[in-house]
Amino acid sequence: MEFVGTIEKIEKRIYAALMIMLIVVLLAAILDLITLVFQALVTVSPAVVDTHEMIVLLGGFLLVLIGVELLDTIKVYFHENAIHVEIVVLLAIIAVARKVILIDPTTVSAFEYGFELMSIGVIVVGLSAGYFLIKKAGITIGPGLAEKKE
């Protein structure tokens, strides 16, 4: 049993290190986003943000949102030792939405673009169905347990 306790302590330290590194990455992403917003609104086109700039800005916002949600997931696991599956699925949906926003149809052929959109559509339907079922069942999964919220 002492061995398992040692492993759990190491696991907690790994999660703490991941949280610290993710905070550093999020701070860098926010600084980058601030720079992008400043450039888009002040230096490049003071009155109007063009389509390409808007796509880049929205991608930056969603990237920070994904990072914050990931940090929240790690924080919850760190405190409760349980994974909230609905948060992970929601994070995946946000990541797919970011991909859809950042798609540039001018860089690929029409066939590749259509195939990519159909593939993303299948992923979105699967994730949405999974999220619906998880929310309906109210399931949280942790190590060695599966509990249903009442």
Side-chain angles (χ1 to χ4, degrees):
M1 286 304 205
E2 184 177 322
F3 182 68
V4 174
T6 304
I7 290 175
E8 287 177 356
K9 287 179 185 176
I10 292 171
E11 184 180 39
K12 290 284 188 181
R13 289 187 179 122
I14 290 171
Y15 280 113
L18 284 173
M19 287 177 68
I20 291 168
M21 289 185 284
L22 187 56
I23 289 170
V24 170
V25 169
L26 278 172
L27 290 173
I30 288 172
L31 288 174
D32 186 48
L33 185 59
I34 290 170
T35 304
L36 286 172
V37 169
F38 180 77
Q39 286 176 345
L41 295 177
V42 177
T43 56
V44 177
S45 55
V48 179
V49 178
D50 71 358
T51 306
H52 178 70
E53 290 171 340
M54 186 62 73
I55 289 172
V56 171
L57 288 174
L58 288 175
F61 276 106
L62 287 174
L63 187 62
V64 171
L65 180 64
I66 290 169
V68 170
E69 288 295 326
L70 186 58
L71 182 63
D72 187 50
T73 302
I74 294 172
K75 183 177 67 175
V76 166
Y77 185 80
F78 190 74
H79 288 294
E80 299 176 11
N81 218 19
I83 299 170
H84 291 267
V85 182
E86 68 272 6
I87 295 174
V88 175
V89 174
L90 189 60
L91 184 62
I93 292 170
I94 293 169
V96 171
R98 181 179 184 274
K99 173 66 177 167
V100 170
I101 289 172
L102 296 179
I103 287 178
D104 186 5
T106 61
T107 60
V108 293
S109 71
F111 177 78
E112 290 172 335
Y113 182 67
F115 186 75
E116 187 173 10
L117 284 180
M118 287 188 296
S119 302
I120 289 172
V122 169
I123 292 169
V124 167
V125 168
L127 286 171
S128 299
Y131 184 75
F132 172 76
L133 293 173
I134 288 167
K135 290 300 278 187
K136 186 175 180 180
I139 296 173
T140 299
I141 298 175
L145 67 107
E147 62 184 51
K148 183 175 179 178
K149 296 177 185 173
E150 304 274 343

